Amino acid sequence: MQVNIYETAIEAAAAAASLMAKRLCRSPSMVLGLATGGTMEAVYEHLIRHLKAGLSLRCATTFNLDEYVGLASTHPASYRATMQRLLFEHTDINLDRTHLPDGMALNPEQEAARYEAAIADAGGIDLQLLGLGRNGHIAFNEPGTPFDTQTHAVTLDRSTRAANARFFPAGESVPDRAITMGIATILAAQEILWVVTGSEKQTAFSQALLGKVDPQCPASVLQMHPHVIICADRAAAGSVLSSGSVDRKRNFKLRVPKTPKS
Ligand code: GLP
């Protein structure tokens, strides 16, 4: 694991976007796994800067991690609409090659199986962008999800729905179900770019990095992946940095910015 800590969330997002741009330059027709959540807004903002400077998404294929069950793509809080607004409409991407689970599918389990097969048909994911839920979830894999799950339909934790309520129009409730890539689907990506920012992620982040690999903290499974690059800010990394447990034993390469001179 390469753990890169930045002074601010903006710097962490900019570094993540630069890494994506680098990979896209090298392999323009790559399969990119995309994520949603507040953390990603700054990442996409910076990626768009690279696109304006000449980077192209024309040949890329994308698969998002998840989508709410029961939200049409026209609903502003659906992840399809979110991706459209934050990234797709600012790029030259071919929308036919942008994929999200269909939240309106009559049979969500069947839709999940179709989505998993579509990822496999595309040759698997080259680079997966990933965030972190406050309770340690990745995509919508809540605590307790077995590590061998493929794309599936889930019931969301109350805390996850509460955390995501800020993306919904006032008075509207967050759906209680979603379709999400499974933990096995995520782990099958060649490389994972994990962006974690904000002090509210500190507990989950340190548990995921330094705790035991345990389905109760789904993100802890990332310790098992051979190619994870982390872009985190100091606020999220606080206890990771102070614990002194980031050592060679865990195969971590830690890069921390120098403390600014006062
Ligand atoms: C949602 C998404 C996750 C994301 C999480 C954290 O639950 N399904 O993929 O990691 O939110 O989002 P935020 O960056 O808003 O904290």
Side-chain angles (χ1 to χ4, degrees), residues 34-41 65-68 79 129-135 137-142 156 160-161 163-164 166-167 178-180 186 194-197 200-201:
L34 296 175
T36 45
T39 310
M40 300 304 150
E41 293 179 8
L65 287 168
D66 42 22
E67 180 60 282
Y68 292 105
Y79 284 162
L129 181 62
L130 203 60
L132 175 66
R134 295 172 200 198
N135 64 356
H137 73 247
I138 47 175
F140 269 139
N141 294 285
E142 299 283 21
L156 299 174
T160 300
R161 294 176 66 213
N164 289 356
R166 68 193 199 278
F167 298 112
I179 298 171
T180 181
I186 294 168
W194 192 19
V195 189
V196 187
T197 59
E200 69 281 7
K201 304 289 172 66

Side-chain angles (χ1 to χ4, degrees), residues 19-20 23 30-33 125-129 191 193:
L19 189 129
M20 290 171 81
R23 296 290 187 272
M30 73 189 296
V31 180
L32 204 49
I125 290 172
D126 295 313
L127 176 67
Q128 177 66 57
L129 181 62
E191 192 177 24
L193 175 57

Side-chain angles (χ1 to χ4, degrees), residues 32-155:
L32 204 49
L34 296 175
T36 45
T39 310
M40 300 304 150
E41 293 179 8
V43 176
Y44 294 141
E45 232 175 86
H46 282 87
L47 189 61
I48 290 166
R49 291 187 197 174
H50 289 277
L51 292 160
K52 286 195 173 137
L55 180 73
S56 174
L57 279 176
R58 198 162 41 87
C59 301
T61 297
T62 67
F63 284 91
N64 264 79
L65 287 168
D66 42 22
E67 180 60 282
Y68 292 105
V69 166
L71 288 196
S73 58
T74 47
H75 189 290
S78 72
Y79 284 162
R80 165 58 79 179
T82 304
M83 288 308 301
Q84 190 64 29
R85 198 169 56 239
L86 294 181
L87 183 66
F88 297 155
E89 71 185 26
H90 306 281
T91 74
D92 58 353
I93 200 161
N94 177 349
L95 285 178
D96 292 342
R97 282 203 292 268
T98 62
H99 306 274
L100 285 95
D102 178 2
M104 294 302 282
L106 288 178
N107 184 333
E109 283 299 350
Q110 219 168 51
E111 169 59 8
R114 182 202 66 78
Y115 198 69
E116 184 76 27
I119 294 171
D121 282 352
I125 290 172
D126 295 313
L127 176 67
Q128 177 66 57
L129 181 62
L130 203 60
L132 175 66
R134 295 172 200 198
N135 64 356
H137 73 247
I138 47 175
F140 269 139
N141 294 285
E142 299 283 21
T145 307
F147 287 159
D148 61 357
T149 45
Q150 297 194 318
T151 304
H152 61 302
V154 292
T155 299

